[in-house]
Amino acid sequence: TLVHGCSWTPTVLAGACIASEETARCVIVHTLIYTLPTPARNLTHVLLALQPDYGDADQWIKPRLKTPIHSVFKLLANPYLVMSEPILFEACHELIYRIAAHPTTSRQLFAYLRTNPEDYTLSCLKDLSPFTCQVTDSPALKASRLMSLSWFLRTVSIDIRSAEVGSSRSELDRLTKSLLVQDTPFISRCKALTLFDLLNVSLPPPTSFTLSIFAGTDWRSCQKPSKRGLMVMEISKLHTLLQRDKDAMQKSGRLLPYQPAQVDEEIRNFLQASVQQNAHNNVLGAQCQAYESWIQFTQLAIITLTKCISKQETQEALLFALCGPVLDRIKDSAVNYPIPSLLAPLVLSIISRLR
């Protein structure tokens, strides 16, 4: 089950036996994500009690109606979930985004988020510690934190947009001010900039390794795009390729008697370097996606400024407060490529609104 007490307790899902409660919860959430885009009414609609398009939003948000979506919010209320089950933490945020982004389910989700006391957006903004990368975090944990932040920011963007299109002035005002109005006596520390600080994760470069014996091996054929967006190496495929080339060298007599040990060492070192590079690329890919999500929601929040904040001086002060840290980040030589190129259009957008 997602949370103890939830009535749905399958023992077999997607043709695989569930070995543990943690595995079961991850499989359940991912199944809900993958079946959501299929034609209505699909498995996700049934299990989350969604009525696509024609349903009464109020029916879905009643606290007494226990469905897995309530369990998802209950899971995310646990500040230690990201440490114990980072994959599940990320999957829960992705599920919420997918429901928010899908045209047949978005209305019901935001009806829940705007009326339920345990508001997802505000509760996440209140406690950002689950999204905060620590120096001691493993690369996998850093990637999960950053991707979870990316999904959350995308959901916020949709929330802002739906409030604007739906002419929900009170909701738009609440969202914009909670993001752009300072949460300390200093205007430079608005929540949007606090979120921006979370993206500045240092990524030491992985150990580089150059092949010598296998210099002619086509190892790039073992690369594939990862779900984070950057290329990663298929380690098992690479190992098979290198071992095959080693066997070919031995059969052709190109290896001297003392060389097999050197060949094995080169294979081992290159595999280790590839694992490190994969970890680096996964974190960097998640970081880039989080930056893109932050830029998107910041641009939307800036657009709504004129509707929520009437004073021109206050608007300009907020824009200046946003522009400075973004420019500093672009100029920072320690920032990984391609982050400066992602931020540059946002600076132009802010400057164009300054008169």
Side-chain angles (χ1 to χ4, degrees):
T1 57
L2 289 176
V3 176
H4 293 299
C6 183
S7 59
W8 186 41
T9 57
T11 55
V12 178
L13 186 63
C17 292
I18 305 304
S20 66
E21 182 179 331
E22 292 78 12
T23 303
R25 296 195 293 192
C26 285
V27 172
I28 290 170
V29 174
H30 280 112
T31 301
L32 294 174
I33 292 171
Y34 296 142
T35 58
L36 179 61
T38 59
R41 296 186 75 225
N42 56 47
L43 179 65
T44 304
H45 295 145
V46 173
L47 295 179
L48 298 186
L50 292 168
Q51 298 293 332
D53 290 332
Y54 50 83
D56 180 9
D58 294 334
Q59 181 66 25
W60 191 58
I61 62 175
K62 291 179 180 178
R64 64 178 177 82
L65 184 61
K66 295 300 180 183
T67 67
I69 195 66
H70 295 84
S71 297
V72 172
F73 287 110
K74 187 175 180 180
L75 277 171
L76 291 176
N78 176 8
Y80 303 106
L81 177 66
V82 67
M83 298 295 296
S84 60
E85 299 179 62
I87 296 176
L88 178 62
F89 178 75
E90 179 184 339
C92 288
H93 281 287
E94 182 180 359
L95 174 62
I96 294 169
Y97 163 74
R98 297 295 181 189
I99 297 173
H102 202 278
T104 65
T105 55
S106 180
R107 184 175 67 91
Q108 282 185 307
L109 177 68
F110 288 119
Y112 175 89
L113 294 181
R114 291 168 185 169
T115 59
N116 195 283
E118 300 173 357
D119 183 277
Y120 169 70
T121 305
L122 292 184
S123 63
C124 287
L125 289 174
K126 184 177 180 181
D127 181 15
L128 296 173
S129 60
F131 302 120
T132 306
C133 292
Q134 307 294 333
V135 177
T136 55
D137 286 348
S138 66
L141 180 54
K142 287 182 179 179
S144 287
R145 289 189 193 271
L146 288 167
M147 276 307 302
S148 300
L149 179 58
S150 177
W151 296 123
F152 167 67
L153 291 174
R154 294 183 201 185
T155 303
V156 174
S157 297
I158 297 174
D159 199 1
I160 293 173
R161 182 59 179 160
S162 64
E164 184 181 27
V165 173
S167 301
S168 178
R169 177 60 186 271
S170 61
E171 182 65 18
L172 189 63
D173 185 73
R174 178 182 69 83
L175 280 170
T176 304
K177 289 185 176 179
S178 66
L179 293 167
L180 294 180
V181 175
Q182 68 273 23
D183 51 8
T184 73
F186 305 99
I187 199 168
S188 61
R189 298 319 308 155
C190 66
K191 188 64 71 173
L193 287 177
T194 303
L195 290 165
F196 185 62
D197 290 341
L198 299 182
L199 307 178
N200 193 22
V201 178
S202 60
L203 297 176
T207 304
S208 60
F209 184 79
T210 303
L211 291 171
S212 57
I213 300 174
F214 292 94
T217 299
D218 184 21
W219 54 266
R220 288 182 176 81
S221 64
C222 300
Q223 290 183 316
K224 66 174 184 178
S226 73
K227 63 179 181 178
R228 314 291 189 196
L230 297 183
M231 300 298 290
V232 294
M233 191 78 74
E234 294 184 83
I235 301 300
S236 59
K237 186 176 179 180
L238 176 63
H239 181 261
T240 301
L241 177 64
L242 294 174
Q243 193 64 43
R244 187 185 64 196
D245 284 3
K246 173 190 173 183
D247 293 341
M249 291 178 189
Q250 288 178 326
K251 289 180 181 179
S252 64
R254 286 180 290 163
L255 289 183
L256 298 175
Y258 64 87
Q259 280 190 307
Q262 294 179 349
V263 171
D264 290 338
E265 183 180 5
E266 181 162 310
I267 290 176
R268 182 171 58 255
N269 291 338
F270 190 50
L271 291 175
Q272 290 176 348
S274 298
V275 169
Q276 292 181 5
Q277 186 67 55
N278 283 356
H280 179 272
N281 286 358
N282 275 324
V283 178
L284 180 57
Q287 187 181 36
C288 289
Q289 292 198 40
Y291 267 105
E292 290 174 349
S293 300
W294 182 86
I295 291 167
Q296 181 185 51
F297 107 86
T298 302
Q299 287 176 328
L300 282 171
I302 290 172
I303 292 172
T304 61
L305 268 177
T306 55
K307 297 181 180 180
C308 303
I309 300 175
S310 56
K311 285 187 176 182
Q312 182 72 25
E313 295 82 2
T314 305
Q315 293 179 25
E316 291 182 353
L318 287 168
L319 292 173
F320 274 116
L322 283 171
C323 192
V326 174
L327 282 172
D328 291 340
R329 190 71 54 86
I330 291 175
K331 293 185 294 182
D332 188 352
S333 60
V335 172
N336 294 283
Y337 175 85
I339 291 169
S341 61
L342 295 176
L343 292 171
L346 177 62
V347 174
L348 294 176
S349 178
I350 294 174
I351 292 175
S352 67
R353 293 182 173 274
L354 293 170
R355 299 173 184 175

